[in-house]
Amino acid sequence: MEASSREDLGARVDALMDGLVADLERLAAIPSIAFPGYPPEPVEEAHDLIVSLLRDAGVTHVERIDLPDTAPVIYAEIPPPEPDAPTVLLYGHYDVQPAGAPGLWLSPPFEPTPVPGGLRARGIADDKSNVIAHLGMLRAYGGRPPVGIKMVIEGQEEYGSAFDDYPPSDPGRFACDAMVIADLGNLRPGTPTLTTGLRGACEVTVEVRTLAEPRHSGEFGGAAPDALLVLLRALGTLHDDAGDVAVRGLRRDPWDGTTYTEEEFRDLASVRGDLPLIGTGSLGERLWSGPAITVIGLDAPSVDHAASAVVPYARAKLNLRFHPHQDPLEARAALVSHLRAQRPFGIPLTVTPGDTGPGFEARTGGPAYRAALTALKEAWGAEASYVATGGSIPLVNGLAKAAPGAEVLLFGAQDSMCNLHAPNERVLFSELRNTVVAMVAFLREYAADHRAGGAR
């Protein structure tokens, strides 16, 4: 695609949109949930449909990677058009989150349904829209892009699988000059966005046992140690009075990129209008470049079945999100040490470290980033913003280890208001269309930069 054809790129993608939307509807109608307890047949059906779509788009080299207890991974290659052309790895996933309570959906979750400017269905944004965006790029180039392509479409990203750690064991397969991780999207519709950081995550369990069994609260309360009171007092030390994390050793830096407005965040998080947000500093700092500790589970007697008794045992599960640059073991150790140092009413806690995963921060400023900034502006008509995310994509680190010299770009057709992982998930046609334009333009610009020797 030469410079003289840039003006008609939008028209070229527009002409593809009806077919891309039809294929997105077909893919989103498949309940490809790769969680335990769900049937494997829809996962295989989604896999087979994507393989068929890739072959129809001109991809002749398509493989299936099977790993233990893992849905099949689609691996495809298009050789570089000339020996010294760069290679770009494209990533997406075809599995989806469970739909959750059907009553919370405005339409059946696996019946793609029109909404203003788009479609609603489970997984239609996360991540099937991005799989279709890859397909759109291939169709726009007639299956012959100006760079080499390696495509990785996995089938168990939402639940997690052995594939997260696989790429470093087979680095030749994943070798590339740049990679586009299309499992994210824009901060808001119409705002082109590159995600440059992912917070790390770990889990810790804390429990308290004080009595052999419950005892009458009237006869023993006041002296017998209540396990739930002990646990709540310990959990209360994790934050200061403003709501900032009070655990020493967890990194927090200022955030100088783009972020939500408070009104946007309140709406996205469904915060009641009469309540304040917790913590201090910018939203970007609280959400992306600083730590967050959430109590994600609590074992204690329920209110409906409560007895008048001193509670003998209580347990909580904590989720810690930490700075992209912080070592995951260091971050987890800081939380564990803080909790083990607590002695509410003189009573020790049992603290058990759980799984932990590193964050990620991309290197910006290289030729791939230059090409992406140009491409995103061409697609959306505005300068791209840099953001981070509190979520994690474990495979990013595995791919980065397999191709340590590659630039890593995270963008796609989702947007932060698409209700991913929530009821009534939707994707906007404008975001899908512009993502296809951006991907086509990115490969064009990246190939041209490489031919020019990367000097600008």
Side-chain angles (χ1 to χ4, degrees), residues 202-204 293-299 316-321:
C202 77
E203 292 183 348
V204 171
I293 300 174
T294 305
V295 180
I296 60 173
L298 186 66
D299 290 339
K317 191 169 191 176
L318 309 179
N319 179 265
L320 167 65
R321 302 287 171 148

Side-chain angles (χ1 to χ4, degrees), residues 125-388:
D126 180 21
D127 189 45
K128 291 178 177 178
S129 62
N130 286 317
V131 174
I132 295 299
H134 291 324
L135 185 69
M137 177 277 295
L138 293 173
R139 288 177 180 173
Y141 277 115
R144 301 177 66 183
V147 301
I149 293 291
K150 293 183 176 181
M151 192 172 291
V152 177
I153 311 293
E154 70 167 316
Q156 199 169 304
E157 189 273 347
E158 298 290 5
Y159 182 72
S161 75
F163 188 63
D164 290 346
D165 302 316
Y166 176 75
S169 71
D170 191 5
R173 183 190 293 272
F174 302 100
C176 60
D177 299 288
M179 59 184 77
V180 176
I181 309 297
D183 192 13
L184 289 162
N186 290 340
L187 182 70
R188 59 183 69 87
T191 300
T193 304
L194 285 165
T195 298
T196 59
L198 306 170
R199 277 199 297 199
C202 77
E203 292 183 348
V204 171
T205 301
V206 54
E207 55 188 319
V208 183
R209 185 174 296 279
T210 56
L211 309 175
E213 58 187 12
R215 282 291 183 264
H216 192 293
S217 58
E219 294 188 26
F220 300 100
D226 183 318
L228 185 54
L229 284 178
V230 172
L231 179 61
L232 293 176
R233 195 173 181 95
L235 296 179
T237 69
L238 297 173
H239 297 82
D240 63 20
D241 290 343
D244 290 319
V245 171
V247 175
R248 291 187 177 183
L250 293 177
R251 180 170 174 175
R252 176 170 173 163
D253 292 340
W255 175 255
D256 57 5
T258 306
T259 187
Y260 303 109
T261 66
E262 182 171 325
E263 292 73 22
E264 285 175 330
F265 181 78
R266 283 179 170 277
D267 183 59
L268 289 169
S270 302
V271 179
R272 281 174 38 184
D274 59 336
L275 296 179
L277 303 182
I278 67 170
T280 61
S282 73
L283 279 172
E285 189 172 330
R286 281 178 273 176
L287 297 172
W288 301 328
S289 62
I293 300 174
T294 305
V295 180
I296 60 173
L298 186 66
D299 290 339
S302 70
V303 172
D304 290 341
H305 299 94
S308 296
V310 179
V311 175
Y313 175 77
R315 180 173 66 157
K317 191 169 191 176
L318 309 179
N319 179 265
L320 167 65
R321 302 287 171 148
F322 50 88
H323 191 286
H325 276 174
Q326 185 154 29
D327 178 86
L329 297 180
E330 176 187 72
R332 186 179 66 181
L335 177 56
V336 169
S337 296
H338 175 94
L339 290 167
R340 286 177 175 167
Q342 305 305 310
R343 292 291 188 275
F345 312 116
I347 296 168
L349 311 172
T350 299
V351 184
T352 305
D355 292 339
T356 186
F360 176 81
E361 188 161 56
R363 301 188 306 272
T364 61
Y369 266 83
R370 289 199 300 268
L373 291 171
T374 299
L376 291 169
K377 183 176 181 179
E378 182 173 340
W380 275 274
E383 298 289 347
S385 299
Y386 286 149
V387 302

Side-chain angles (χ1 to χ4, degrees), residues 4-224:
S4 61
S5 67
R6 294 181 187 183
E7 293 180 0
D8 68 4
L9 173 55
R12 186 175 306 201
V13 173
D14 288 338
L16 296 171
M17 283 299 295
D18 285 349
L20 293 174
V21 169
D23 289 329
L24 178 59
E25 291 188 63
R26 291 171 63 196
L27 188 58
I30 302 172
S32 49
I33 304 167
F35 279 61
Y38 289 86
E41 290 81 9
V43 177
E44 292 281 352
E45 182 183 358
H47 169 279
D48 293 347
L49 174 57
I50 294 169
V51 169
S52 175
L53 292 172
L54 290 175
R55 293 193 186 282
D56 289 345
V59 183
T60 59
H61 183 140
V62 183
E63 298 180 35
R64 171 181 171 131
I65 300 175
D66 285 299
L67 299 174
D69 302 315
T70 299
V73 177
I74 300 167
Y75 176 82
E77 280 189 17
I78 299 175
E82 49 195 42
D84 61 345
T87 294
V88 176
L89 185 149
L90 305 176
Y91 168 83
H93 64 88
Y94 64 86
D95 64 307
V96 302
Q97 281 279 326
L104 297 178
W105 284 79
L106 299 176
S107 56
F110 293 103
E111 292 182 13
T113 302
V115 299
L119 288 170
R120 176 175 58 235
R122 167 56 85 226
I124 203 159
D126 180 21
D127 189 45
K128 291 178 177 178
S129 62
N130 286 317
V131 174
I132 295 299
H134 291 324
L135 185 69
M137 177 277 295
L138 293 173
R139 288 177 180 173
Y141 277 115
R144 301 177 66 183
V147 301
I149 293 291
K150 293 183 176 181
M151 192 172 291
V152 177
I153 311 293
E154 70 167 316
Q156 199 169 304
E157 189 273 347
E158 298 290 5
Y159 182 72
S161 75
F163 188 63
D164 290 346
D165 302 316
Y166 176 75
S169 71
D170 191 5
R173 183 190 293 272
F174 302 100
C176 60
D177 299 288
M179 59 184 77
V180 176
I181 309 297
D183 192 13
L184 289 162
N186 290 340
L187 182 70
R188 59 183 69 87
T191 300
T193 304
L194 285 165
T195 298
T196 59
L198 306 170
R199 277 199 297 199
C202 77
E203 292 183 348
V204 171
T205 301
V206 54
E207 55 188 319
V208 183
R209 185 174 296 279
T210 56
L211 309 175
E213 58 187 12
R215 282 291 183 264
H216 192 293
S217 58
E219 294 188 26
F220 300 100

Side-chain angles (χ1 to χ4, degrees), residues 354-435:
D355 292 339
T356 186
F360 176 81
E361 188 161 56
R363 301 188 306 272
T364 61
Y369 266 83
R370 289 199 300 268
L373 291 171
T374 299
L376 291 169
K377 183 176 181 179
E378 182 173 340
W380 275 274
E383 298 289 347
S385 299
Y386 286 149
V387 302
T389 178
S392 57
I393 307 175
L395 184 64
V396 171
N397 286 284
L399 289 171
K401 289 178 182 177
E407 293 182 73
V408 180
L409 300 103
L410 297 98
F411 68 90
Q414 303 170 25
D415 65 82
S416 295
M417 302 172 185
C418 69
N419 288 337
L420 75 165
H421 293 205
N424 303 307
E425 180 179 348
R426 64 101 180 103
V427 72
L428 298 177
F429 297 140
S430 59
E431 299 299 289
L432 175 60
R433 180 261 187 199
N434 289 347
T435 299

